Amino acid sequence: MKDTLSNRKLIINNSFSGVAQKIMTMLLVFLSIPIFISHLGVENYGLFTIVSVIGNLNVFAGFGLNTALIVSLTSSSDKEKSSVDIVTSLLMMIVLSSLIALLLFIFKIPILHLLLNLTESQLNEASVLFNYLLVSNILLFAGQAFSAALDSCQKIYFTNLIQFIYNVIYWLGLIIVVCFKGSLPEIGMMSLFASVVWFVIGYIITKNVFGRIYFSKDIKSYFESAQRQFKYGFSIYISTLTGFVFEPLSKLLLSKFFGLGAVSLFEIALKIRSNINELLIKFLYPLVPYIASSEETESLFIKLKDLSRKIEYFSFQLSAFLVFLLPPLLSFWIPKEMFLEFPPETIYLFTVSLTVSLLLFSPGVYPIYVYLSTKNKASKTINIQMISVVVNLLLFFALYKYVGSETIVISNSAGYFFSFILCIWYQKKYWNDSITNVLKYMLYLTLSVFPILIVGSAINVLVGNLILRIIIIAFLLPIISIFISKRMGLMSANDINRYLPYDSFLRTVLIKIFDK
């Protein structure tokens, strides 16, 4: 794919549609959590999150075949071959997800009873929710074939629209169910309904955008397509399975050693950090079909290295803001039940530390991760996921007896840090990106946020009113960030011209801000 102005414009439009969709979803999620805790209670909310993790098939195999299909479709202009690939991918996803669901259903009682130590009443409701989630996630998993087809055509804004419709139905539906005294089984029914709507809409839009999907009479072509896609996607599949172990296993460890209350606390921190991270990933996701269709040239590597630096810059600035913004915002958002269960300092520690550690070490290496996933180097992503999981496990078991539930903060943060270091090594190996230069840039970024940290700390000490503190932080810290960034040359008008190459209100404003 040539890096033309129209292509960059399409990538930017896809990115902003993803950001808009994610922001709306975040609002729904943040609205729902206090309602869930207030109506379900801390224990049942923890139970809901645990069962949702176990019943979620997408965490087992979601992105392997999806990425394999995108790579296959972007590398072919043959309509009939592409149709065969889509049908093959859809069938593979249905079969694979059904097999996994069957295994989970067979071992449902041992999983729920022995692993979570549930009471008899909790076990009955959790079992019904579990069943609904299994069926729901078969549809969500299989429907990724439609999403991949749209994404390969650079119609990611349609994928975002479908996802937004699903999120509205899912979260508003759950809020309504909970407010009308619904329990876990009713929550499961609403989850299934949202998945059915998502699958049907995905099929209809894909058929209209991609065109008629041909069904070839050549059965051999389907087997060849399946072999090609599975071979490519298997490494990503294993990587996804490995990644599954990280956050869900953290919940299981907390449940096992510290109870469901600790899971609820972790889930709140997880919701915040995951939504912020996913917001950035939504903005960056259009890189997947772009990199998949681009030739591996020095020009591409230079662009990706520069993009990685800019993402890291933004992540550092955002992290500095959130250190001071999250605690007062949490005071208004989190239900009083959580503050009765845990001290405010513990809640702030979990939320701020887990969010900041992910932002510092994850978004900046997204380009190299996508590059490895789409350029026949997907096996390397297994190593990236594996090192974070191993470090997380080793540190948790080494420290939990001495540190308590806060151990998960240390082990999670260390896991992200070591996976970040490995990604930096891959950038050196495949992009000829100097590790020394990357570390120097990271040090430079660290120095750039010191003024923000100093002013933010002073505001915390001097301003007692929470609302006033939020207003001052939200207004003053970005101004300081812009001033420091211009002085240190971290962001310039040339960067704005490079990444926003066509006239727009946003481009005009940013150029005026960063023009020296």
Side-chain angles (χ1 to χ4, degrees), residues 315-423:
S315 297
F316 263 72
Q317 304 302 309
L318 181 59
S319 296
F321 300 155
L322 292 178
V323 166
F324 303 104
L325 269 178
L326 280 179
L329 288 174
L330 288 171
S331 299
F332 290 109
W333 176 61
I334 293 180
K336 60 181 181 181
E337 289 86 350
M338 287 301 298
F339 286 110
L340 294 175
E341 187 84 14
F342 298 97
E345 295 77 15
T346 301
I347 296 176
Y348 300 152
L349 172 67
F350 264 70
T351 306
V352 174
S353 299
L354 291 172
T355 301
V356 168
S357 65
L358 182 138
L359 282 176
L360 293 180
F361 304 124
S362 182
V365 293
Y366 184 74
I368 184 64
Y369 194 91
V370 172
Y371 171 80
L372 295 172
S373 300
T374 59
K375 295 299 183 183
N376 291 311
K377 301 174 180 65
S379 60
K380 306 301 181 185
T381 63
I382 300 175
N383 301 333
I384 296 171
Q385 297 283 7
M386 181 63 73
I387 193 170
S388 64
V389 171
V390 171
V391 170
N392 185 34
L393 279 173
L394 290 177
L395 279 180
F396 183 88
F397 282 109
L399 300 176
Y400 82 93
K401 291 183 179 178
Y402 311 102
V403 181
S405 60
E406 287 83 356
T407 303
I408 206 70
V409 174
I410 301 172
S411 62
N412 269 221
S413 301
Y416 282 119
F417 173 74
F418 278 91
S419 65
F420 170 81
I421 294 299
L422 183 57
C423 286

Side-chain angles (χ1 to χ4, degrees), residues 170-273:
Y170 178 82
W171 288 108
L172 287 183
L174 294 194
I175 290 173
I176 292 171
V177 167
V178 170
C179 288
F180 280 88
K181 308 301 180 182
S183 56
L184 296 184
E186 287 75 28
I187 289 176
M189 290 177 62
M190 182 54 67
S191 300
L192 178 58
F193 174 73
S195 301
V196 171
V197 174
W198 180 85
F199 186 88
V200 172
I201 294 177
Y203 169 74
I204 293 173
I205 293 182
T206 301
K207 184 179 178 181
N208 284 287
V209 171
F210 191 84
R212 191 170 75 89
I213 300 176
Y214 300 91
F215 289 88
S216 175
K217 295 181 180 179
D218 183 10
I219 304 300
K220 183 180 178 182
S221 64
Y222 289 104
F223 284 101
E224 291 175 349
S225 176
Q227 185 179 19
R228 183 176 64 255
Q229 291 189 57
F230 188 79
K231 182 179 179 181
Y232 190 92
F234 184 73
S235 295
I236 304 175
Y237 173 75
I238 297 299
S239 176
T240 307
L241 283 176
T242 307
F244 163 75
V245 177
F246 191 80
E247 289 179 354
L249 184 58
S250 297
K251 292 182 182 179
L252 295 176
L253 290 172
L254 285 173
S255 174
K256 186 72 175 177
F257 294 101
F258 300 103
L260 290 173
V263 176
S264 295
L265 174 60
F266 181 70
E267 177 66 15
I268 288 177
L270 192 62
K271 275 286 189 292
I272 293 173
R273 81 169 184 182

